[in-house]
Amino acid sequence: MVRKSKKLEVSFDCPETERKIIRAISRRARDLYLENGVDRAALDIAMDITAVHCNGNPIRLNDLLAADDFNLLHDVSKIASHLDRETGKLSGFFRPRFSRPARQVA
């Protein structure tokens, strides 16, 4: 008997207010990449951030948008390199600097 594994789909479901902030982050990151000779699409950046934000590692989006160039690119580039695109989860024990604090269980 062969069991089929249930494949989880990555969620991209977030409120429009958060989508607007993610689009602004991705446009800013794209511009910074281009200034440094890297061609990366804003849509790819937005999808990576949304996947992480909606699948277990919420991001402080307003703080990321307001971050200096170095810290913004740090989180965006590390998200891209640590994102498991099958699950939307981050691998390699990476946690973005602008992650929301983890809830502590009493």
Side-chain angles (χ1 to χ4, degrees), residues 10-14 19 22-23 25-27 40-55 76 79-80 83-85 87-89:
V10 177
S11 173
F12 292 93
D13 187 28
C14 65
R19 286 185 195 286
I22 291 169
R23 283 193 298 267
I25 293 166
S26 63
R27 285 190 301 266
R40 184 146 188 252
L43 179 60
D44 291 340
I45 297 167
M47 288 178 67
D48 287 355
I49 294 168
T50 305
V52 169
H53 181 67
C54 295
N55 292 280
V76 170
I79 285 170
L83 177 62
D84 179 336
R85 286 173 173 74
T87 65
K89 307 282 184 197

Short mmCIF file of all heavy atoms in Angstrom, two decimals, residues 10-14 19 22-23 25-27 40-55 76 79-80 83-85 87-89:
data_model
loop_
_atom_site.label_atom_id
_atom_site.label_comp_id
_atom_site.label_asym_id
_atom_site.label_seq_id
_atom_site.Cartn_x
_atom_site.Cartn_y
_atom_site.Cartn_z
N VAL A 10 2.00 26.76 0.43
CA VAL A 10 2.48 28.00 1.02
C VAL A 10 1.35 29.02 0.96
O VAL A 10 0.72 29.22 -0.08
CB VAL A 10 3.72 28.53 0.26
CG1 VAL A 10 4.17 29.86 0.84
CG2 VAL A 10 4.84 27.51 0.30
N SER A 11 1.08 29.67 2.08
CA SER A 11 0.04 30.69 2.14
C SER A 11 0.62 32.06 1.77
O SER A 11 1.72 32.40 2.18
CB SER A 11 -0.56 30.77 3.54
OG SER A 11 -1.45 31.86 3.64
N PHE A 12 -0.14 32.79 0.97
CA PHE A 12 0.22 34.17 0.64
C PHE A 12 -0.92 35.09 1.06
O PHE A 12 -1.09 36.18 0.52
CB PHE A 12 0.49 34.32 -0.86
CG PHE A 12 1.74 33.61 -1.31
CD1 PHE A 12 1.69 32.31 -1.78
CD2 PHE A 12 2.97 34.23 -1.23
CE1 PHE A 12 2.83 31.65 -2.18
CE2 PHE A 12 4.13 33.58 -1.62
CZ PHE A 12 4.06 32.28 -2.10
N ASP A 13 -1.70 34.65 2.02
CA ASP A 13 -2.91 35.34 2.45
C ASP A 13 -2.59 36.34 3.55
O ASP A 13 -2.31 35.96 4.69
CB ASP A 13 -3.94 34.32 2.93
CG ASP A 13 -5.28 34.94 3.23
OD1 ASP A 13 -5.61 35.98 2.62
OD2 ASP A 13 -6.00 34.39 4.09
N CYS A 14 -2.62 37.62 3.20
CA CYS A 14 -2.43 38.67 4.21
C CYS A 14 -3.30 39.86 3.81
O CYS A 14 -3.68 40.02 2.66
CB CYS A 14 -0.97 39.04 4.38
SG CYS A 14 -0.18 39.81 2.97
N ARG A 19 0.02 43.95 2.32
CA ARG A 19 0.49 43.79 0.93
C ARG A 19 1.11 45.08 0.41
O ARG A 19 2.13 45.05 -0.29
CB ARG A 19 -0.65 43.39 0.01
CG ARG A 19 -1.11 41.98 0.16
CD ARG A 19 -2.17 41.68 -0.91
NE ARG A 19 -2.87 40.48 -0.60
CZ ARG A 19 -2.39 39.26 -0.73
NH1 ARG A 19 -1.16 39.10 -1.18
NH2 ARG A 19 -3.09 38.20 -0.42
N ILE A 22 4.53 45.45 1.92
CA ILE A 22 5.44 44.48 1.30
C ILE A 22 5.84 44.94 -0.09
O ILE A 22 7.01 44.83 -0.47
CB ILE A 22 4.80 43.07 1.28
CG1 ILE A 22 4.70 42.53 2.71
CG2 ILE A 22 5.58 42.12 0.38
CD1 ILE A 22 3.87 41.27 2.86
N ARG A 23 4.91 45.49 -0.86
CA ARG A 23 5.24 46.01 -2.20
C ARG A 23 6.24 47.15 -2.10
O ARG A 23 7.19 47.25 -2.89
CB ARG A 23 3.98 46.44 -2.95
CG ARG A 23 3.19 45.28 -3.52
CD ARG A 23 2.13 45.71 -4.51
NE ARG A 23 1.11 46.58 -3.93
CZ ARG A 23 -0.05 46.15 -3.43
NH1 ARG A 23 -0.33 44.86 -3.41
NH2 ARG A 23 -0.93 47.00 -2.95
N ILE A 25 8.41 47.65 0.34
CA ILE A 25 9.70 47.05 0.73
C ILE A 25 10.37 46.45 -0.50
O ILE A 25 11.57 46.65 -0.72
CB ILE A 25 9.50 45.97 1.82
CG1 ILE A 25 9.02 46.59 3.13
CG2 ILE A 25 10.78 45.16 2.02
CD1 ILE A 25 8.49 45.59 4.14
N SER A 26 9.62 45.71 -1.29
CA SER A 26 10.21 45.02 -2.43
C SER A 26 10.70 46.00 -3.50
O SER A 26 11.76 45.77 -4.10
CB SER A 26 9.23 44.00 -3.02
OG SER A 26 8.08 44.63 -3.53
N ARG A 27 9.99 47.08 -3.71
CA ARG A 27 10.46 48.09 -4.68
C ARG A 27 11.74 48.74 -4.18
O ARG A 27 12.68 48.96 -4.94
CB ARG A 27 9.37 49.14 -4.92
CG ARG A 27 8.23 48.64 -5.80
CD ARG A 27 7.31 49.76 -6.23
NE ARG A 27 6.70 50.45 -5.09
CZ ARG A 27 5.52 50.17 -4.58
NH1 ARG A 27 4.78 49.21 -5.08
NH2 ARG A 27 5.04 50.86 -3.56
N ARG A 40 17.18 41.76 -9.62
CA ARG A 40 16.23 40.89 -8.94
C ARG A 40 14.86 41.54 -9.02
O ARG A 40 14.70 42.72 -8.69
CB ARG A 40 16.65 40.68 -7.48
CG ARG A 40 15.76 39.72 -6.76
CD ARG A 40 16.51 38.89 -5.73
NE ARG A 40 15.59 37.88 -5.25
CZ ARG A 40 15.04 37.88 -4.04
NH1 ARG A 40 15.39 38.79 -3.15
NH2 ARG A 40 14.18 36.95 -3.69
N ALA A 41 13.86 40.80 -9.44
CA ALA A 41 12.52 41.34 -9.64
C ALA A 41 11.84 41.65 -8.32
O ALA A 41 11.92 40.89 -7.35
CB ALA A 41 11.67 40.34 -10.43
N ALA A 42 11.12 42.78 -8.30
CA ALA A 42 10.37 43.17 -7.11
C ALA A 42 9.33 42.12 -6.75
O ALA A 42 9.07 41.87 -5.57
CB ALA A 42 9.73 44.55 -7.31
N LEU A 43 8.73 41.49 -7.76
CA LEU A 43 7.72 40.46 -7.50
C LEU A 43 8.32 39.28 -6.75
O LEU A 43 7.72 38.74 -5.81
CB LEU A 43 7.08 39.99 -8.81
CG LEU A 43 6.02 38.90 -8.66
CD1 LEU A 43 4.86 39.37 -7.79
CD2 LEU A 43 5.53 38.47 -10.03
N ASP A 44 9.51 38.85 -7.14
CA ASP A 44 10.18 37.75 -6.44
C ASP A 44 10.46 38.11 -4.98
O ASP A 44 10.25 37.30 -4.07
CB ASP A 44 11.50 37.38 -7.12
CG ASP A 44 11.30 36.75 -8.48
OD1 ASP A 44 10.20 36.25 -8.76
OD2 ASP A 44 12.26 36.78 -9.28
N ILE A 45 10.91 39.32 -4.77
CA ILE A 45 11.19 39.79 -3.40
C ILE A 45 9.90 39.81 -2.58
O ILE A 45 9.87 39.33 -1.45
CB ILE A 45 11.85 41.18 -3.43
CG1 ILE A 45 13.20 41.12 -4.14
CG2 ILE A 45 12.01 41.74 -2.01
CD1 ILE A 45 13.78 42.48 -4.50
N ALA A 46 8.83 40.35 -3.17
CA ALA A 46 7.55 40.44 -2.47
C ALA A 46 7.01 39.05 -2.13
O ALA A 46 6.49 38.83 -1.03
CB ALA A 46 6.54 41.21 -3.32
N MET A 47 7.15 38.11 -3.05
CA MET A 47 6.67 36.75 -2.78
C MET A 47 7.45 36.10 -1.65
O MET A 47 6.87 35.43 -0.79
CB MET A 47 6.75 35.91 -4.06
CG MET A 47 5.71 36.31 -5.08
SD MET A 47 5.82 35.39 -6.61
CE MET A 47 5.35 33.76 -6.05
N ASP A 48 8.77 36.31 -1.62
CA ASP A 48 9.58 35.75 -0.53
C ASP A 48 9.16 36.33 0.82
O ASP A 48 8.95 35.58 1.78
CB ASP A 48 11.07 36.05 -0.76
CG ASP A 48 11.69 35.22 -1.87
OD1 ASP A 48 11.02 34.33 -2.42
OD2 ASP A 48 12.87 35.49 -2.19
N ILE A 49 9.03 37.64 0.90
CA ILE A 49 8.65 38.28 2.16
C ILE A 49 7.25 37.83 2.59
O ILE A 49 7.03 37.51 3.76
CB ILE A 49 8.72 39.82 2.04
CG1 ILE A 49 10.17 40.26 1.83
CG2 ILE A 49 8.13 40.49 3.28
CD1 ILE A 49 10.31 41.72 1.42
N THR A 50 6.32 37.80 1.66
CA THR A 50 4.96 37.38 1.97
C THR A 50 4.93 35.94 2.45
O THR A 50 4.24 35.62 3.44
CB THR A 50 4.04 37.54 0.74
OG1 THR A 50 4.11 38.89 0.28
CG2 THR A 50 2.60 37.21 1.08
N ALA A 51 5.67 35.06 1.79
CA ALA A 51 5.70 33.65 2.20
C ALA A 51 6.18 33.51 3.64
O ALA A 51 5.58 32.80 4.45
CB ALA A 51 6.57 32.84 1.25
N VAL A 52 7.27 34.18 3.96
CA VAL A 52 7.81 34.10 5.32
C VAL A 52 6.83 34.71 6.32
O VAL A 52 6.54 34.12 7.37
CB VAL A 52 9.19 34.81 5.39
CG1 VAL A 52 9.65 34.99 6.83
CG2 VAL A 52 10.21 34.03 4.59
N HIS A 53 6.30 35.88 5.99
CA HIS A 53 5.39 36.60 6.88
C HIS A 53 4.12 35.80 7.18
O HIS A 53 3.62 35.82 8.30
CB HIS A 53 5.04 37.96 6.24
CG HIS A 53 4.14 38.82 7.06
ND1 HIS A 53 4.54 39.36 8.27
CD2 HIS A 53 2.87 39.25 6.85
CE1 HIS A 53 3.54 40.10 8.77
NE2 HIS A 53 2.52 40.03 7.93
N CYS A 54 3.61 35.07 6.19
CA CYS A 54 2.34 34.36 6.33
C CYS A 54 2.48 32.90 6.73
O CYS A 54 1.47 32.21 6.89
CB CYS A 54 1.56 34.44 5.02
SG CYS A 54 1.06 36.11 4.58
N ASN A 55 3.69 32.42 6.90
CA ASN A 55 3.89 30.99 7.17
C ASN A 55 4.78 30.74 8.38
O ASN A 55 5.69 29.91 8.34
CB ASN A 55 4.46 30.30 5.93
CG ASN A 55 3.44 30.26 4.82
OD1 ASN A 55 2.56 29.43 4.80
ND2 ASN A 55 3.56 31.20 3.89
N VAL A 76 16.21 40.91 3.54
CA VAL A 76 15.66 40.48 2.25
C VAL A 76 16.55 39.42 1.60
O VAL A 76 16.05 38.39 1.11
CB VAL A 76 15.45 41.69 1.31
CG1 VAL A 76 15.12 41.24 -0.11
CG2 VAL A 76 14.35 42.60 1.85
N ILE A 79 16.47 36.15 3.71
CA ILE A 79 15.19 35.46 3.51
C ILE A 79 15.24 34.68 2.20
O ILE A 79 14.87 33.50 2.15
CB ILE A 79 14.01 36.46 3.53
CG1 ILE A 79 13.72 36.93 4.96
CG2 ILE A 79 12.76 35.85 2.89
CD1 ILE A 79 12.74 38.08 5.07
N ALA A 80 15.73 35.30 1.14
CA ALA A 80 15.80 34.64 -0.17
C ALA A 80 16.66 33.38 -0.11
O ALA A 80 16.32 32.37 -0.73
CB ALA A 80 16.33 35.60 -1.22
N LEU A 83 14.83 30.61 2.52
CA LEU A 83 13.42 30.28 2.37
C LEU A 83 13.25 28.91 1.71
O LEU A 83 13.82 28.65 0.65
CB LEU A 83 12.72 31.35 1.51
CG LEU A 83 11.25 31.11 1.19
CD1 LEU A 83 10.42 31.06 2.47
CD2 LEU A 83 10.74 32.20 0.27
N ASP A 84 12.48 28.06 2.36
CA ASP A 84 12.06 26.80 1.75
C ASP A 84 10.79 27.12 0.98
O ASP A 84 9.73 27.35 1.56
CB ASP A 84 11.79 25.75 2.84
CG ASP A 84 11.33 24.42 2.28
OD1 ASP A 84 10.77 24.38 1.16
OD2 ASP A 84 11.51 23.40 2.97
N ARG A 85 10.89 27.14 -0.32
CA ARG A 85 9.78 27.57 -1.16
C ARG A 85 8.65 26.54 -1.24
O ARG A 85 7.59 26.82 -1.76
CB ARG A 85 10.30 27.95 -2.54
CG ARG A 85 11.02 29.29 -2.46
CD ARG A 85 11.72 29.70 -3.72
NE ARG A 85 12.23 31.05 -3.62
CZ ARG A 85 13.28 31.40 -2.90
NH1 ARG A 85 13.94 30.50 -2.21
NH2 ARG A 85 13.68 32.66 -2.86
N THR A 87 7.46 25.19 1.66
CA THR A 87 6.70 25.34 2.90
C THR A 87 6.49 26.79 3.33
O THR A 87 5.63 27.07 4.16
CB THR A 87 7.42 24.62 4.06
OG1 THR A 87 8.68 25.26 4.30
CG2 THR A 87 7.61 23.14 3.76
N GLY A 88 7.32 27.70 2.84
CA GLY A 88 7.26 29.09 3.30
C GLY A 88 8.01 29.31 4.60
O GLY A 88 7.99 30.39 5.16
N LYS A 89 8.69 28.28 5.08
CA LYS A 89 9.44 28.36 6.34
C LYS A 89 10.90 28.70 6.05
O LYS A 89 11.41 28.46 4.96
CB LYS A 89 9.39 27.02 7.08
CG LYS A 89 8.01 26.47 7.32
CD LYS A 89 7.32 27.15 8.44
CE LYS A 89 5.97 26.48 8.69
NZ LYS A 89 5.10 27.30 9.47
#
